[in-house]
Amino acid sequence: EAGVTQFPSHSVIEKGQTVTLRCDPISGHDNLYWYRRVMGKEIKFLLHFVKESKQDESGMPNNRFLAERTGGTYSTLKVQPAELEDSGVYFCASSQAGGYEQFFGPGTRLTVL
Amino acid sequence: GDSVTQMEGPVTLSEEAFLTINCTYTATGYPSLFWYVQYPGEGLQLLLKATKADDKGSNKGFEATYRKETTSFHLEKGSVQVSDSAVYFCALNAGGTSYGKLTFGQGTILTVHP
């Protein structure tokens, strides 16, 4: 069974540009989560989808971040326009309906210059 | 709000040494507690969990006991191997309306030398 995949693995962009990160959860997992780790700090929750609906978006830092999960399958996280402080590693995770264990992808390392 | 504090690393040990990574938490109610591990180039993997006070989670020789009285969930292993070199994260899930949200500590880098 394929795990959670994320694309791209690395992205380097300039301040003010737009970047879109993609996450493909494990097939059949209704729950999808986005997290972010800024250099050397703790991993912070961004938001939680249940199927295509946003269950909890309390961790989204500001309106430059837009997450979507059309059709309840893969998800995208768009940052527009990117700022220097957005640099970090963005993790996606998924879990079964009613399941507590979250399965994480390898992350996308975003560098904003 | 909820928070998790881990001992600062990095931690460097020789093979077969005893490992302890301290973790304490602050949360309302009765959270579930987790240890995740991230090996180089991979995503986080659940290592072990405990869902109520005095529960002991264990996996791959690692153990951690949910101590409500000290709000702690310290990770231990009696004899580490080189293959245990990784980043270890303590985390909690407080449930409630944010039932999907994991709150993480800052991570502890462990390096084990032969």
Side-chain angles (χ1 to χ4, degrees), chain A residues 31 33 35 37 40-45 48 50 55-56 58 89 91 100-107, chain B residues 34 36 38 41-46 49 87 89 93 97-108:
Chain A
N31 295 291
Y33 314 84
Y35 293 86
R37 188 183 192 201
K41 297 197 172 181
E42 68 272 22
I43 299 170
K44 287 201 168 181
F45 169 84
H48 170 200
V50 177
Q55 168 68 25
D56 181 356
S58 61
V89 180
F91 292 101
Y100 65 83
E101 181 175 356
Q102 297 183 22
F103 295 83
F104 282 76
Chain B
F34 306 86
Y36 277 82
Q38 184 182 24
E42 300 182 13
L44 281 75
Q45 301 173 24
L46 179 63
K49 68 170 178 56
V87 185
F89 295 92
N93 182 313
T97 54
S98 293
Y99 66 89
K101 174 183 175 181
L102 288 172
T103 299
F104 285 91
Q106 65 268 43
T108 302

